[in-house]
Amino acid sequence: MTVRHVLFVVTNAAEIGPNHRATGFFFPEIAHPFEALDQAGIAVEYASLSGGKPPEDGFDANDAVQAAFRESKSYRRMAHSRKLSEVDVLDYDAIFFPGGLGPMVDIARNPEIQDAVQRAWNGGKIVAAVCHGPAALLGVTLPDGSPLVRGRRLASFSTAEEDGYARSDVPFDLESALRAEGAIHESVEPWQPKLVVDGRLITGQNPASGGLVGEAIAQALRQQA
C-alpha cells in the first residue's frame, strides 16, 4: 500500500501584538490531527518559514493525546522542521496549517505561504487548516485571479471567539478577513468543534476541531486512493 504524506506548515512566531504576548502553534492543533493521521498510517512531515523548532503554546499535560505526542518521534522531528523554501508541496498529498496565534504574525498574507498554497491547490492536493491556520488562505488566488476562498465554505477561529481570547493582540479579525475575500464562513458556539469540508478544502474552527480535521484529511486521502 502506498504511504500518503501530509506536510504540516508551522509558525515560527513566538510573540504577537503590542502586549508582546507569548505564542507559537497551539499544541492540540498539531497533536490531535497528528494522532488521527498516524492511526490511519499517514506520514507527517514538518516545514516552517525559518526552519528549526517551532515555538509552542497551550500544552495540556492532562490531555493524553498531547502528552503522547510530546514523547513521540514526530515531535522530535518537528524540532528540525525544514525551511518551506526547501520543500516542494507537490511531493505531498496534503498540506495542513495548524493554528495558534503565531500564524497571524508570519503566515498570514506571506507571499511564500501564498505561493505554497496556490501550488498545492493547483496541483490537486488537499489544503487544510484549523483555528488561526486559515490565515494561510488569505490573498491566495486562482489562475483567473479570483480569491481561492471566494464562494467556498470554510471555518476558522470566529470573531466571537477572538473577542474573548486575543482581540487586543491580533493584527486583524480572521473571520472578517476571510469573509472580505468572499468566503462562506461557518461557525458554531465558541470553543465547540466545527468541521467544514468543501471539496479539497478542509477547515476547522478551533482547538476542539483539530482531531476532526485530521480525520477528514485521512478520509479524503483514502477516497483519492
Side-chain angles (χ1 to χ4, degrees), residues 4-9 37 42 89-97 116-129 137 148 195-203 212-225:
R4 298 286 177 156
H5 294 78
V6 179
L7 181 67
F8 282 33
V9 181
L37 293 168
I42 296 167
V89 295
L90 296 185
D91 292 339
Y92 300 86
D93 301 290
I95 185 172
F96 170 64
F97 295 89
V117 174
Q118 186 177 52
R119 184 168 171 79
W121 186 263
N122 292 341
K125 309 300 182 181
I126 292 164
V127 174
L137 306 175
L148 170 63
L195 171 73
V196 177
V197 179
D198 189 339
R200 291 184 288 113
L201 184 63
I202 298 173
T203 51
L212 297 177
V213 171
E215 291 168 4
I217 295 171
Q219 181 178 355
L221 290 177
R222 284 193 295 267
Q223 290 173 345
Q224 284 186 351

Side-chain angles (χ1 to χ4, degrees), residues 156-166 189-192 205-206:
S156 76
F157 204 59
S158 68
T159 298
E161 286 168 320
E162 202 72 271
D163 285 343
Y165 182 65
E189 289 298 308
W191 308 108
Q192 298 304 303
Q205 180 172 331
N206 48 33

Side-chain angles (χ1 to χ4, degrees), residues 27 66-76:
F27 208 91
Q66 293 185 52
F69 178 68
R70 173 157 275 184
E71 298 302 317
S72 71
K73 293 177 180 177
S74 191
Y75 177 77
R76 293 197 293 275

Side-chain angles (χ1 to χ4, degrees), residues 22-223:
T23 188
F25 73 85
F26 205 65
F27 208 91
E29 294 174 20
I30 287 184
H32 286 263
F34 169 78
E35 181 199 40
L37 293 168
D38 189 54
Q39 289 182 348
I42 296 167
V44 170
E45 296 180 22
Y46 301 93
S48 59
L49 286 165
S50 302
K53 188 178 190 302
E56 60 192 55
D57 186 20
F59 174 69
D60 180 1
N62 294 319
D63 178 352
V65 173
Q66 293 185 52
F69 178 68
R70 173 157 275 184
E71 298 302 317
S72 71
K73 293 177 180 177
S74 191
Y75 177 77
R76 293 197 293 275
R77 287 196 299 273
M78 184 172 59
H80 307 283
S81 71
R82 298 168 65 190
K83 290 184 179 180
L84 184 60
S85 61
E86 300 171 353
V87 173
D88 187 347
V89 295
L90 296 185
D91 292 339
Y92 300 86
D93 301 290
I95 185 172
F96 170 64
F97 295 89
L101 292 175
M104 298 289 280
V105 177
D106 63 345
I107 284 177
R109 300 191 174 100
N110 181 292
E112 192 175 336
I113 295 291
Q114 293 168 339
D115 288 346
V117 174
Q118 186 177 52
R119 184 168 171 79
W121 186 263
N122 292 341
K125 309 300 182 181
I126 292 164
V127 174
V130 69
C131 199
H132 289 91
L137 306 175
L138 293 171
V140 178
T141 56
L142 299 174
D144 65 3
S146 63
L148 170 63
V149 300
R150 181 183 293 170
R152 286 192 166 84
R153 298 169 48 244
L154 55 74
S156 76
F157 204 59
S158 68
T159 298
E161 286 168 320
E162 202 72 271
D163 285 343
Y165 182 65
R167 174 60 60 216
S168 62
D169 300 298
V170 293
F172 62 92
D173 182 68
L174 181 55
E175 176 182 337
S176 298
L178 290 164
R179 289 183 182 278
E181 292 193 7
I184 303 170
H185 191 281
E186 301 181 8
S187 63
V188 292
E189 289 298 308
W191 308 108
Q192 298 304 303
K194 172 68 175 177
L195 171 73
V196 177
V197 179
D198 189 339
R200 291 184 288 113
L201 184 63
I202 298 173
T203 51
Q205 180 172 331
N206 48 33
S209 312
L212 297 177
V213 171
E215 291 168 4
I217 295 171
Q219 181 178 355
L221 290 177
R222 284 193 295 267
Q223 290 173 345

